[in-house]
Amino acid sequence: MDEILDLVDGYQIERVFPVDVRSEEKARKEGLHLWYVVRFSDEHPVEEVAAGLAQLGEVSKVEYNRTLKRASTQKAIPLTREAMEQMRASARTSKFNDPHLGLQWHMVNNGDLGNHKFVAGADVNVEKAWELCTGDPSVVVAILDEGFDVTHPDLQGSLWINENEVWRSEEDNDGNGYAGDYYGYNFAAGHGVVSTGGRYDTGHGTHVAGVIAAANNNGIGISSIAGGNGTEPGVKIMSCQIFSGSLAGTVLDEVRAIKYAADNGAVVLQCSWGYISGAANPYDWTPQFSSDEQWKSNNLLEFKALDYFVHNAGSPDGVIDGGIIVFAAGNEYAPAASYPAAYPEFVSV
């Protein structure tokens, strides 16, 4: 390996996953300690370096650190005041007093939202779910997305906080390999400050966080699936930021975020992204993976990290023994979900 890399000026090599003494035994059991990232000057073609490394008997797999791209870079456009008033006046629900619940047709849809052609019952049936539970603070949901607004008044009671860290600190107080990870970590930027104010930030992370855990029945903003009921709190949300302003996350950022979530208490992994469905229309898209084997063979490190979350998040004495992973099925109008959502052990939405 030294002979190969000596041909590459100024290379750097390090473990993909930083050592966390609390979880190192589990990481080694799953073989995650065997993955390394090699960095070198762009003067050397990556294909040549990869081919050289792949010839070595000590190397069983070589993958490129691909860039993950947002599906859209457009910022959210608020409804006009007139449309909001019209829809709010026609909506009928009294479960919670959040003023915009009447606009959330995906949550509660009675088919009477103004002049829009909404179909009664075309929603996630959350009212039935609320009869069973409105969320539980022992459940931590890690959001792999853009960062979310940690100052938002509707999210204040739902923030996961790493009490062993200091906000904006450059010290790794708890020794988990990440400095200042108070609300989570910005893997795209490589620091503990969760951000939302970049030029290319769309607000998607805050949107997702709100749907999951905005405070219910507090008289402001929206309602959420698991944001409590105004008396009892809901779930906690952890930011695992893989998109940040103009910075698009990479597979390296993604897999580190997944392992971080499992090792720091998350039991649900929320991923509103994915690849292009293998069944997508080839005239409009570039279809990708069509089978479990095809996805895993091309994305072994990603699979290993996700498999680690499924089997190592939570604990036998906790709220969940293992982890639940949720992926977006895709926006290609394809007859089959995209990967990773299509993998049988994950929830496809």
Side-chain angles (χ1 to χ4, degrees):
M1 182 172 289
D2 287 341
E3 291 177 0
I4 295 292
L5 292 179
D6 280 344
L7 301 176
V8 183
D9 299 329
Y11 75 88
Q12 295 176 320
I13 184 169
E14 65 179 5
R15 273 181 42 157
V16 166
F17 302 102
V19 174
D20 183 341
V21 294
R22 302 169 304 177
S23 60
E24 182 66 8
E25 183 178 350
K26 292 189 294 184
R28 287 180 171 271
K29 181 179 178 181
E30 301 293 341
L32 297 187
H33 66 297
L34 300 175
W35 288 87
Y36 283 79
V37 56
V38 179
R39 296 184 175 90
F40 49 88
S41 169
D42 57 10
E43 295 177 1
H44 304 277
V46 66
E47 294 83 2
E48 291 183 11
V49 178
L53 290 172
Q55 296 175 18
L56 301 176
E58 298 89 347
V59 176
S60 60
K61 181 70 173 176
V62 176
E63 292 188 357
Y64 300 143
N65 185 26
R66 294 173 289 102
T67 299
L68 305 174
K69 296 182 179 180
R70 292 176 172 88
S72 172
T73 57
Q74 297 181 357
K75 292 184 180 292
I77 302 174
L79 290 171
T80 64
R81 183 181 298 275
E82 291 75 18
M84 292 177 68
E85 291 300 329
Q86 180 186 22
M87 294 172 72
R88 186 183 297 115
S90 63
R92 297 181 178 86
T93 182
S94 58
K95 175 66 176 178
F96 297 131
N97 63 6
D98 306 297
H100 297 329
L101 175 56
L103 311 180
Q104 295 179 270
W105 59 268
H106 52 288
M107 301 274 282
V108 180
N109 193 344
N110 296 318
D112 57 357
L113 290 172
N115 296 324
H116 300 270
K117 297 180 180 180
F118 291 110
V119 178
D123 54 35
V124 298
N125 207 25
V126 72
E127 288 184 307
K128 289 292 185 182
W130 283 336
E131 292 177 6
L132 302 174
C133 181
T134 56
D136 188 306
S138 62
V139 174
V140 178
V141 182
I143 300 175
L144 269 68
D145 206 294
E146 292 181 347
F148 55 76
D149 184 0
V150 297
T151 69
H152 198 294
D154 225 5
L155 297 177
Q156 289 304 292
S158 301
L159 301 176
W160 172 82
I161 294 175
N162 185 353
E163 300 288 356
N164 296 317
E165 292 286 354
V166 178
W167 175 235
R168 294 185 175 274
S169 171
E170 296 182 2
E171 299 293 329
D172 180 15
N173 292 338
D174 61 359
N176 68 352
Y178 299 96
D181 53 320
Y182 189 68
Y183 298 114
Y185 197 76
N186 186 336
F187 291 88
H191 55 64
V193 179
V194 176
S195 63
T196 58
R199 177 181 178 185
Y200 295 99
D201 284 327
T202 66
H204 191 265
T206 302
H207 156 65
V208 169
V211 172
I212 296 169
N216 289 325
N217 214 34
N218 66 345
I220 62 172
I222 64 172
S223 294
S224 69
I225 292 173
N229 58 17
T231 302
E232 299 171 333
V235 300
K236 298 296 182 182
I237 46 176
M238 170 196 294
S239 180
C240 292
Q241 187 171 357
I242 59 172
F243 299 105
S244 181
S246 60
L247 298 175
T250 65
V251 172
L252 182 61
D253 301 324
E254 173 206 342
V255 297
R256 285 176 168 171
I258 293 167
K259 184 176 183 296
Y260 173 92
D263 291 344
N264 288 277
V267 292
V268 179
L269 197 68
Q270 159 61 32
C271 309
S272 287
W273 50 272
Y275 305 110
I276 302 299
S277 170
N281 186 337
Y283 291 100
D284 298 321
W285 307 90
T286 303
Q288 290 180 283
F289 313 114
S290 299
S291 68
D292 296 350
E293 292 72 22
Q294 189 181 34
W295 167 61
K296 286 195 288 186
S297 66
N298 286 276
N299 301 272
L300 184 59
L301 177 57
E302 180 179 71
F303 167 74
K304 289 289 188 180
L306 291 168
D307 191 61
Y308 178 89
F309 187 91
V310 169
H311 296 106
N312 292 281
S315 71
D317 301 323
V319 61
I320 299 176
D321 184 11
I324 298 171
I325 297 178
V326 182
F327 269 100
N331 295 327
E332 304 93 70
Y333 302 97
S338 64
Y339 279 88
Y343 191 66
E345 289 195 12
F346 309 152
V347 178
S348 175
V349 178

